[in-house]
Structure formats: structure tokens, C-alpha cells
Amino acid sequence: MAIPWAVSLSTSRFFPTRSAILRRQTSPCSATATMSTAGEQNTSDTAHLDTIFKQKKALRLVVKRDLKSMDPTLRSEEDEAIQRIVMEAPWFKACKGLCAYISCSALREVDTSRILSHILSSHSEMRKKLFVPRVEDRNRNMRMLNISSTEDLIANSMNILEPAPLDAEGNEREDVLFANEPVDLLILPGLAFDKAGRRLGRGGGYYDTFLSRYQELAEKRNWKQPLKVALSYSVQIVDEGTIPLTPNDVLVDALVSPSGVIPISPAALEFCQ
């Protein structure tokens, strides 16, 4: 699926080089001109971001249309294939802790119910530690909380299952951002993906914000970065260059489609050798 007018966004447009900063500092007499130039640059950057957001919005409409028209039988077959591939993958079998989304059929997300059931039904000594998302507000704040049973889940105002903030004993659930041990794997949703690792979300920014926070935490604690794996129906994989990027967008390491695992990053290629 190609959107001919989509463009990539270079972060160099938003972050001045060291030489550019030095040039600005060496000419105090040109302060007015510098301010004018900076203002023009900010206006240009804002306009460029506006273009990016419009392109993303248009692409979301295209993918949502394709997902809506997807044959239910095909969807079911792809759900089964994707989940089987995940559970048979060496990176899934090896992981001791992971974050995974709870699929919502109304959003036409790839089903994760079999994956989650597999984790939660495992024997306690073999069970992976599972964290699932809970949206806290409209300001991109999403927590990943530990659950040990499907009974730990409640429906939110949008009828999407998420963990209750307290467990049955009234204790706060463990938040992955405050956990003493790292997770090895992040299973992610999205609307569209390409084979270069670009991911198009639904526009809320919740996952990109969470991913950035966890990456910073892992770096600070000298943990190995978790493998970021997105699940995708066939119709959600688009041509490279179709998904425009902003500096806040986080790339995924691998895709799982009905046809198999698509490794992207060196970390994913290492697992798939």
C-alpha cells in the first residue's frame, strides 16, 4: 500500500548542529537578524509537522478502511497464525518478563488472547511475568501493570479490558517502570507498519511515550533493551517510506505477520539466525 505524498522527517530539521550554534554566538550585532531567522525556522518546522500529522491522519483512514473490509474468516486465520508464530518464537520462549497489549476486537487489533492465556495458565515456576497496559489520562500517560489472572482485568469507559490498579488484597499492582528487574519483550499493537520498523499508532502517543520512558529506564539501570515486536495483519504492512516520522516516534525491532517473523533491528536479526 503506497501513499505517494508521504515523506520522511529528518530529525536534523529540529536539532541545530554545533557549528550552527557557534555561528549564532559569534555575531552579537546580528541578534535581531538571528531572532528573525529563528522565528522563520520555527514557523517552517511547525508547518512541516502539521504536514506530517495530516499525512498520518490520512493514512490512518486508509488502514482503518482496509481493516474494516477484511473478511472475518481471513482475520480469524491470521489471528491464529500470528499468535502461533509468537508462541513458537525463540525470543518468546526465552523471555522471563514481558509487556503485552490486551487486544480489542472493536479496534480490529491482532488478537492476543491465546498468547495471554498461554502465559497466565503456565505453571508458577515456569510462568513469565506479565505486564499489561492501563491508560491513566488523556495526556499520554499509560502504565504497564503486573497481572497473574484474567480476573485482574476490568472494562474501562471504552469497554477495553485493563488491569485494576489494586489487586484482590487491596495492594497496588507492580508497575514495570518501578520494577526491580527488566522485561525482555514488548508486544505492541499499531495501525500500520513497514519493514524498516516504522509504526503508525492511533494518534494518542501513549505507546511512544511509554517506550521512550522504558528505554531511558533501561539505559539508566544498565539493562539490556527489550525486544520491541509488533503484531500485524497482512493489510497493515505498507511500503517503506509510506509512514512519516517525527522525532518522538519509536521504531520496532521486528514484525510478526501471518507469513512469519520479519526481523528489522540487529537485536531481532540475532534472535532469528
Side-chain angles (χ1 to χ4, degrees):
M1 180 193 309
I3 307 297
W5 35 256
V7 299
S8 301
L9 178 63
S10 169
T11 54
S12 62
R13 294 188 53 133
F14 296 87
F15 301 101
T17 62
R18 182 174 182 272
S19 59
I21 294 173
L22 291 175
R23 284 199 300 272
R24 293 178 186 176
Q25 293 175 341
T26 55
S27 182
C29 295
S30 62
T32 302
T34 300
M35 291 176 63
S36 176
T37 301
E40 292 173 358
Q41 181 65 44
N42 289 338
T43 300
S44 174
D45 291 343
T46 299
H48 192 67
L49 276 175
D50 286 343
T51 299
I52 293 295
F53 293 142
K54 289 177 181 178
Q55 291 173 353
K56 286 189 173 186
K57 183 177 181 180
L59 181 55
R60 288 188 184 102
L61 292 174
V62 172
V63 179
K64 285 181 179 179
R65 180 200 65 199
D66 291 343
L67 285 171
K68 187 175 181 179
S69 62
M70 192 175 178
D71 179 79
T73 301
L74 176 61
R75 182 191 305 278
S76 179
E77 291 173 352
E78 293 201 358
D79 280 330
E80 183 177 349
I82 291 168
Q83 291 182 95
R84 184 182 66 252
I85 291 166
V86 169
M87 290 187 288
E88 293 176 353
W91 39 262
F92 178 79
K93 292 180 178 180
C95 82
K96 296 180 179 179
L98 73 157
C99 296
Y101 72 94
I102 301 171
S103 56
C104 175
S105 58
L107 296 177
R108 299 181 175 86
E109 294 174 326
V110 173
D111 187 20
T112 56
S113 59
R114 283 186 59 199
I115 297 171
L116 301 185
S117 295
H118 174 78
I119 295 170
L120 295 174
S121 63
S122 300
H123 296 298
S124 58
E125 64 271 14
M126 298 290 291
R127 180 178 293 179
K128 305 175 189 299
K129 194 167 188 178
L130 175 63
F131 296 85
V132 296
R134 176 182 173 85
V135 173
E136 295 297 327
D137 54 38
R138 295 179 179 272
N139 297 316
R140 301 185 177 185
N141 291 312
M142 180 181 73
R143 295 194 293 163
M144 289 281 183
L145 304 181
N146 177 231
I147 64 169
S148 56
S149 168
T150 54
E151 294 180 1
D152 296 336
L153 303 174
I154 57 175
N156 63 16
S157 59
M158 297 181 64
N159 204 34
I160 297 174
L161 291 176
E162 60 183 17
L166 304 179
D167 63 21
E169 286 73 40
N171 301 312
E172 287 193 10
R173 295 191 184 280
E174 184 178 15
D175 186 325
V176 74
L177 290 177
F178 298 97
N180 293 324
E181 296 179 346
V183 293
D184 312 300
L185 175 65
L186 304 174
I187 296 181
L188 307 171
L191 263 180
F193 313 91
D194 71 15
K195 295 181 181 180
R198 298 182 178 194
R199 169 187 169 275
L200 178 70
R202 295 182 178 273
Y206 290 96
Y207 274 92
D208 285 320
T209 300
F210 167 76
L211 291 172
S212 295
R213 288 174 178 171
Y214 194 86
Q215 287 176 334
E216 290 174 6
L217 174 68
E219 185 175 349
K220 181 179 179 180
R221 296 191 180 182
N222 201 29
W223 289 342
K224 184 178 180 179
Q225 292 289 346
L227 197 69
K228 300 182 292 295
V229 178
L231 309 188
S232 175
Y233 292 121
S234 299
V235 298
Q236 293 178 280
I237 299 177
V238 301
D239 294 338
E240 289 185 32
T242 299
I243 303 174
L245 285 181
T246 70
N248 294 326
D249 292 330
V250 178
L251 302 181
V252 300
D253 296 303
L255 297 177
V256 179
S257 76
S259 59
V261 179
I262 303 172
I264 297 166
S265 72
L269 288 166
E270 184 179 324
F271 267 109
C272 295
Q273 286 180 346

